[in-house]
Protein backbone atom coordinates (compact mmCIF):
# COMPACT_ATOMS: atom_id res chain seq x y z
CA UNK A 1 0.00 0.00 0.00
CA UNK A 2 2.78 2.41 0.91
CA UNK A 3 4.51 1.61 -2.38
CA UNK A 4 1.29 2.36 -4.28
CA UNK A 5 0.86 5.72 -2.51
CA UNK A 6 4.49 6.63 -3.14
CA UNK A 7 4.21 5.84 -6.87
CA UNK A 8 0.91 7.72 -7.09
CA UNK A 9 2.40 10.81 -5.42
CA UNK A 10 5.43 10.60 -7.67
CA UNK A 11 3.25 10.46 -10.78
CA UNK A 12 1.10 13.32 -9.54
CA UNK A 13 4.23 15.32 -8.84
CA UNK A 14 5.56 14.82 -12.35
CA UNK A 15 2.14 15.57 -13.84
CA UNK A 16 1.83 18.80 -11.85
CA UNK A 17 5.34 19.83 -12.80
CA UNK A 18 4.64 19.35 -16.52
CA UNK A 19 1.34 21.22 -16.32
CA UNK A 20 2.99 24.09 -14.46
CA UNK A 21 5.84 24.57 -16.93
CA UNK A 22 5.01 27.59 -19.10
CA UNK A 23 6.98 28.16 -22.30
CA UNK A 24 10.16 30.20 -22.06
CA UNK A 25 10.15 32.75 -24.89
CA UNK A 26 13.27 34.58 -26.05
CA UNK A 27 12.14 37.62 -28.03
CA UNK A 28 13.52 40.73 -29.72
CA UNK A 29 13.67 43.79 -27.46
CA UNK A 30 11.21 45.70 -29.63
CA UNK A 31 8.43 43.25 -28.68
CA UNK A 32 8.30 44.10 -24.98
CA UNK A 33 4.88 45.76 -24.71
CA UNK A 34 3.11 43.80 -27.43
CA UNK A 35 4.32 40.33 -26.47
CA UNK A 36 3.56 40.99 -22.81
CA UNK A 37 0.03 41.95 -23.83
CA UNK A 38 -0.28 38.77 -25.91
CA UNK A 39 1.02 36.69 -22.99
CA UNK A 40 -1.58 38.32 -20.72
CA UNK A 41 -4.34 37.40 -23.19
CA UNK A 42 -3.06 33.82 -23.31
CA UNK A 43 -3.08 33.64 -19.52
CA UNK A 44 -6.62 35.06 -19.33
CA UNK A 45 -7.72 32.16 -21.55
CA UNK A 46 -6.70 29.77 -18.78
CA UNK A 47 -3.09 28.93 -19.68
CA UNK A 48 0.09 29.36 -17.68
CA UNK A 49 1.62 32.72 -18.59
CA UNK A 50 4.80 32.30 -20.67
CA UNK A 51 8.11 33.44 -19.25
CA UNK A 52 9.37 36.22 -21.54
CA UNK A 53 12.98 37.34 -21.93
CA UNK A 54 13.86 40.30 -24.16
CA UNK A 55 17.19 41.29 -25.70
CA UNK A 56 18.80 41.92 -29.06
CA UNK A 57 18.03 39.11 -31.50
CA UNK A 58 21.76 38.64 -32.05
CA UNK A 59 22.38 38.09 -28.33
CA UNK A 60 19.43 35.71 -28.01
CA UNK A 61 20.46 33.65 -31.05
CA UNK A 62 23.93 33.23 -29.60
CA UNK A 63 22.46 32.23 -26.24
CA UNK A 64 20.36 29.57 -27.94
CA UNK A 65 23.40 28.29 -29.82
CA UNK A 66 25.26 28.11 -26.50
CA UNK A 67 22.53 25.93 -25.00
CA UNK A 68 20.37 28.41 -23.10
CA UNK A 69 17.08 26.71 -22.09
CA UNK A 70 14.16 28.09 -24.10
CA UNK A 71 11.06 26.94 -25.94
CA UNK A 72 10.40 29.71 -28.47
CA UNK A 73 12.47 32.30 -30.32
CA UNK A 74 11.08 35.45 -31.94
CA UNK A 75 13.71 37.33 -33.93
CA UNK A 76 13.57 40.85 -35.36
CA UNK A 77 15.16 39.69 -38.60
CA UNK A 78 15.54 36.64 -40.81
CA UNK A 79 19.35 36.16 -40.63
CA UNK A 80 19.43 35.53 -36.86
CA UNK A 81 16.62 33.00 -37.12
CA UNK A 82 18.56 31.40 -39.99
CA UNK A 83 21.60 31.29 -37.70
CA UNK A 84 19.62 29.26 -35.16
CA UNK A 85 17.94 27.05 -37.74
CA UNK A 86 21.20 26.23 -39.54
CA UNK A 87 22.45 24.77 -36.24
CA UNK A 88 19.45 22.42 -36.12
CA UNK A 89 18.06 24.28 -33.12
CA UNK A 90 14.60 24.99 -34.60
CA UNK A 91 11.89 22.33 -34.46
CA UNK A 92 11.18 21.36 -38.09
CA UNK A 93 8.04 22.83 -39.60
CA UNK A 94 7.38 25.34 -36.82
CA UNK A 95 8.95 28.50 -38.24
CA UNK A 96 6.51 31.22 -39.26
CA UNK A 97 6.71 34.81 -40.49
CA UNK A 98 4.91 36.63 -37.69
CA UNK A 99 5.21 40.43 -37.91
CA UNK A 100 6.50 43.42 -39.86
CA UNK A 101 7.73 46.83 -38.74
CA UNK A 102 9.00 50.18 -40.01
CA UNK A 103 12.27 52.02 -39.44
CA UNK A 104 12.07 55.62 -38.23
CA UNK A 105 14.26 58.53 -37.17
CA UNK A 106 13.36 59.91 -33.75
CA UNK A 107 14.21 62.95 -31.66
CA UNK A 108 13.32 63.93 -28.09
CA UNK A 109 9.72 65.10 -27.80
CA UNK A 110 9.65 68.85 -28.34
CA UNK A 111 10.10 71.42 -31.08
CA UNK A 112 12.48 69.47 -33.37
CA UNK A 113 11.50 69.90 -36.99
CA UNK A 114 10.60 66.94 -39.22
CA UNK A 115 13.49 65.65 -41.31
CA UNK A 116 12.29 64.23 -44.64
CA UNK A 117 14.40 61.16 -45.35
CA UNK A 118 15.68 60.95 -48.89
CA UNK A 119 18.98 60.46 -50.68
CA UNK A 120 21.64 62.76 -49.24
CA UNK A 121 19.43 64.13 -46.43
CA UNK A 122 21.47 66.28 -44.00
CA UNK A 123 21.60 64.02 -40.96
CA UNK A 124 25.34 64.43 -40.33
CA UNK A 125 25.00 68.23 -40.40
CA UNK A 126 22.00 68.11 -38.07
CA UNK A 127 23.98 66.01 -35.60
CA UNK A 128 26.91 68.41 -35.53
CA UNK A 129 29.22 67.13 -32.80
CA UNK A 130 26.52 65.06 -31.16
CA UNK A 131 25.66 61.38 -31.53
CA UNK A 132 23.17 59.28 -33.47
CA UNK A 133 21.71 56.55 -31.24
CA UNK A 134 21.50 53.18 -32.97
CA UNK A 135 21.50 49.54 -32.02
CA UNK A 136 24.88 48.03 -32.89
CA UNK A 137 25.00 48.30 -36.71
CA UNK A 138 27.36 45.32 -36.95
CA UNK A 139 25.07 42.77 -35.29
CA UNK A 140 21.68 43.92 -33.98
CA UNK A 141 18.80 43.87 -36.51
CA UNK A 142 17.64 47.48 -35.94
CA UNK A 143 21.21 48.66 -36.39
CA UNK A 144 21.76 46.50 -39.46
CA UNK A 145 18.59 47.84 -41.07
CA UNK A 146 19.65 51.38 -40.13
CA UNK A 147 23.14 51.07 -41.57
CA UNK A 148 21.75 49.54 -44.76
CA UNK A 149 19.28 52.41 -45.16
CA UNK A 150 21.83 55.14 -44.45
CA UNK A 151 24.27 53.51 -46.88
CA UNK A 152 21.70 53.27 -49.65
CA UNK A 153 20.71 56.89 -49.07
CA UNK A 154 24.35 57.97 -49.34
CA UNK A 155 24.81 59.36 -45.83
CA UNK A 156 26.45 56.52 -43.88
CA UNK A 157 30.02 57.70 -44.41
CA UNK A 158 29.25 61.06 -42.79
CA UNK A 159 27.19 59.59 -39.98
CA UNK A 160 29.24 56.49 -39.05
CA UNK A 161 31.79 58.36 -36.84
CA UNK A 162 28.91 59.91 -34.89
CA UNK A 163 27.08 56.66 -34.04
CA UNK A 164 26.47 55.80 -30.39
CA UNK A 165 26.24 52.00 -30.55
CA UNK A 166 23.65 50.53 -28.20
CA UNK A 167 23.26 46.88 -27.22
CA UNK A 168 19.69 46.75 -28.53
CA UNK A 169 17.02 48.99 -30.00
CA UNK A 170 15.51 49.85 -26.60
CA UNK A 171 18.89 51.01 -25.34
CA UNK A 172 19.11 53.30 -28.39
CA UNK A 173 15.62 54.59 -27.63
CA UNK A 174 16.67 55.32 -24.04
CA UNK A 175 19.58 57.48 -25.20
CA UNK A 176 17.17 59.74 -27.07
CA UNK A 177 14.62 59.68 -24.24
CA UNK A 178 17.27 60.98 -21.83
CA UNK A 179 18.44 63.65 -24.25
CA UNK A 180 21.88 62.05 -24.57
CA UNK A 181 21.46 61.88 -28.36
CA UNK A 182 19.49 64.37 -30.48
CA UNK A 183 18.48 61.69 -32.98
CA UNK A 184 18.08 57.93 -33.01
CA UNK A 185 17.07 55.16 -35.37
CA UNK A 186 14.51 52.72 -33.99
CA UNK A 187 11.44 50.83 -35.09
CA UNK A 188 8.12 52.63 -35.32
CA UNK A 189 6.79 50.42 -32.52
CA UNK A 190 9.56 51.60 -30.18
CA UNK A 191 8.76 55.23 -30.92
CA UNK A 192 5.07 54.63 -30.29
CA UNK A 193 5.90 53.04 -26.92
CA UNK A 194 7.55 56.19 -25.57
CA UNK A 195 5.95 59.61 -24.96
CA UNK A 196 9.46 61.05 -24.54
CA UNK A 197 10.33 60.86 -28.24
CA UNK A 198 8.72 61.74 -31.54
CA UNK A 199 9.14 60.50 -35.09
CA UNK A 200 10.78 63.10 -37.32
CA UNK A 201 11.21 60.90 -40.40
CA UNK A 202 10.34 57.48 -41.79
CA UNK A 203 12.85 55.54 -43.84
CA UNK A 204 11.59 54.50 -47.29
CA UNK A 205 10.70 50.82 -47.37
CA UNK A 206 13.04 50.29 -50.34
CA UNK A 207 16.04 51.69 -48.45
CA UNK A 208 16.49 48.50 -46.44
CA UNK A 209 15.52 44.84 -46.42
CA UNK A 210 11.94 44.14 -45.35
CA UNK A 211 11.66 44.15 -41.54
CA UNK A 212 10.26 40.72 -40.76
CA UNK A 213 9.92 38.96 -37.42
CA UNK A 214 10.14 35.16 -37.76
CA UNK A 215 9.14 32.95 -34.83
CA UNK A 216 9.71 29.25 -34.18
CA UNK A 217 9.60 26.52 -31.58
CA UNK A 218 13.09 25.45 -30.58
CA UNK A 219 14.20 21.84 -30.92
CA UNK A 220 15.11 21.77 -27.21
CA UNK A 221 11.62 22.93 -26.16
CA UNK A 222 10.26 21.18 -23.08
CA UNK A 223 6.96 23.01 -22.48
CA UNK A 224 3.87 21.33 -23.87
CA UNK A 225 2.49 24.84 -24.46
CA UNK A 226 5.32 25.91 -26.79
CA UNK A 227 3.62 25.06 -30.09
CA UNK A 228 0.11 26.08 -28.91
CA UNK A 229 1.41 29.49 -27.77
CA UNK A 230 3.14 30.02 -31.12
CA UNK A 231 -0.14 29.17 -32.89
CA UNK A 232 -1.88 31.69 -30.65
CA UNK A 233 0.62 34.40 -31.64
CA UNK A 234 -0.43 33.89 -35.25
CA UNK A 235 -4.15 33.93 -34.45
CA UNK A 236 -6.63 36.71 -35.21
CA UNK A 237 -6.90 37.89 -31.56
CA UNK A 238 -3.12 38.06 -31.16
CA UNK A 239 -2.68 39.86 -34.48
CA UNK A 240 -5.11 42.50 -33.26
CA UNK A 241 -2.92 42.99 -30.18
CA UNK A 242 0.24 43.37 -32.26
CA UNK A 243 -1.42 45.85 -34.62
CA UNK A 244 -2.50 47.91 -31.62
CA UNK A 245 1.18 48.41 -30.81
CA UNK A 246 2.07 49.44 -34.36
CA UNK A 247 3.23 46.16 -35.90
CA UNK A 248 2.13 44.87 -39.26
CA UNK A 249 0.89 41.25 -39.34
CA UNK A 250 1.30 38.52 -41.90
Amino acid sequence: MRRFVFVLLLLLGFSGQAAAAPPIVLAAASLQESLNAAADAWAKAGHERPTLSFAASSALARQIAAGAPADLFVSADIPWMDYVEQRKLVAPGTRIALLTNQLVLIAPAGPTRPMPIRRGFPLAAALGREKLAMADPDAVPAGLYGREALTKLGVWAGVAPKVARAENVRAALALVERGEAPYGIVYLTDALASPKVKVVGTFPADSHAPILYPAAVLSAAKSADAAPFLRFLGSVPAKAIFRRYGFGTR
Side-chain angles (χ1 to χ4, degrees):
M1 181 66 178
R2 287 182 180 177
R3 181 182 176 85
F4 172 78
V5 172
F6 173 78
V7 172
L8 181 60
L9 289 174
L10 192 63
L11 289 173
L12 287 172
F14 278 129
S15 175
Q17 185 179 20
I24 298 170
V25 184
L26 304 185
S30 50
L31 289 163
Q32 289 180 39
E33 293 79 12
S34 59
L35 194 56
N36 268 301
D40 288 342
W42 174 257
K44 285 180 182 177
H47 306 279
E48 289 290 328
R49 192 182 191 280
T51 299
L52 308 179
S53 180
F54 300 98
S57 300
S58 51
L60 296 174
R62 290 173 179 140
Q63 288 172 23
I64 293 166
D71 299 288
L72 291 170
F73 178 39
V74 188
S75 173
D77 73 355
I78 291 172
W80 282 113
M81 181 63 79
D82 289 345
Y83 173 91
V84 172
E85 189 166 30
Q86 287 161 5
R87 285 158 177 77
K88 312 294 186 186
L89 299 174
V90 167
T94 65
R95 178 172 169 171
I96 62 172
L98 187 63
L99 303 168
T100 65
N101 214 330
Q102 298 178 64
L103 198 67
V104 297
L105 183 69
I106 59 169
T112 308
R113 291 183 178 181
M115 184 179 294
I117 297 178
R118 54 181 178 267
R119 183 162 186 82
F121 74 108
L123 180 56
L127 288 167
R129 295 187 177 183
E130 297 191 84
K131 295 291 187 178
L132 172 68
M134 289 177 65
D136 184 355
D138 290 329
V140 181
L144 291 166
Y145 291 126
R147 183 179 67 182
E148 181 186 3
L150 294 173
T151 300
K152 191 164 186 178
L153 294 167
V155 301
W156 175 248
V159 168
K162 304 172 187 285
V163 170
R165 294 171 178 245
E167 65 178 346
N168 59 56
V169 71
R170 286 306 174 92
L173 176 70
L175 289 174
V176 181
E177 287 178 323
R178 295 194 298 262
E180 295 176 22
Y183 294 101
I185 295 177
V186 299
Y187 299 122
L188 174 62
T189 52
D190 301 301
L192 294 176
S194 175
K196 297 179 181 179
V197 304
K198 69 177 184 179
V199 174
V200 294
T202 300
F203 286 88
D206 62 0
S207 68
H208 55 79
I211 300 174
L212 299 175
Y213 288 65
V217 176
L218 297 173
S219 57
K222 291 182 171 58
S223 172
D225 271 348
F229 182 61
L230 180 58
R231 287 195 295 272
F232 170 72
L233 294 181
S235 70
V236 171
K239 286 180 179 180
I241 292 170
F242 287 119
R243 285 195 295 268
R244 192 166 76 235
Y245 287 89
F247 287 92
T249 55
R250 303 290 290 183

